[in-house]
Amino acid sequence: MLSLSLSELVTLYFIVVLAPILAWWAWAGRRQRARWRREARWRIVCRACGQTYHDDSPADLPTCPYCGRANERCRDPLV
């Protein structure tokens, strides 16, 4: 018969059940942040009217489709 102490049982429970859940949660969080960074690369907020728009053109100064003002593209997508 297998005899386990309470501390060994709790440790075994953590390894078998909770560790894979924690690993999946961390993996999903990293994947979500990577997707936000990729999308933020093309997201521009107009400084004149405040509208957010998507622009994937190679232009350094894309124009806002709402007010027509040229906006500077942010080089750091997290800012």
Side-chain angles (χ1 to χ4, degrees), residues 1-5 8-9 12:
M1 175 122 191
L2 184 65
S3 63
L4 295 173
S5 68
E8 291 170 337
L9 188 61
L12 183 64

Side-chain angles (χ1 to χ4, degrees), residues 7-63:
S7 63
E8 291 170 337
L9 188 61
V10 169
T11 304
L12 183 64
Y13 175 77
F14 177 74
I15 291 171
V16 171
V17 175
L18 296 179
I21 292 172
L22 181 64
W24 174 81
W25 178 65
W27 173 78
R30 289 183 63 127
R31 190 170 167 216
Q32 179 70 28
R33 283 190 300 276
R35 183 174 31 217
W36 286 340
R37 285 187 183 125
R38 279 193 309 271
E39 291 172 359
R41 187 177 309 147
W42 309 112
R43 191 177 313 128
I44 299 172
V45 178
C46 181
R47 295 186 185 198
C49 65
Q51 293 288 332
T52 303
Y53 62 96
H54 178 86
D55 182 70
D56 55 357
S57 68
D60 286 336
L61 294 172
T63 57

Side-chain angles (χ1 to χ4, degrees), residues 62-76:
T63 57
C64 175
Y66 301 102
C67 67
R69 180 175 184 251
N71 289 292
E72 187 174 325
R73 191 179 300 276
C74 183
R75 293 295 173 201
D76 187 11

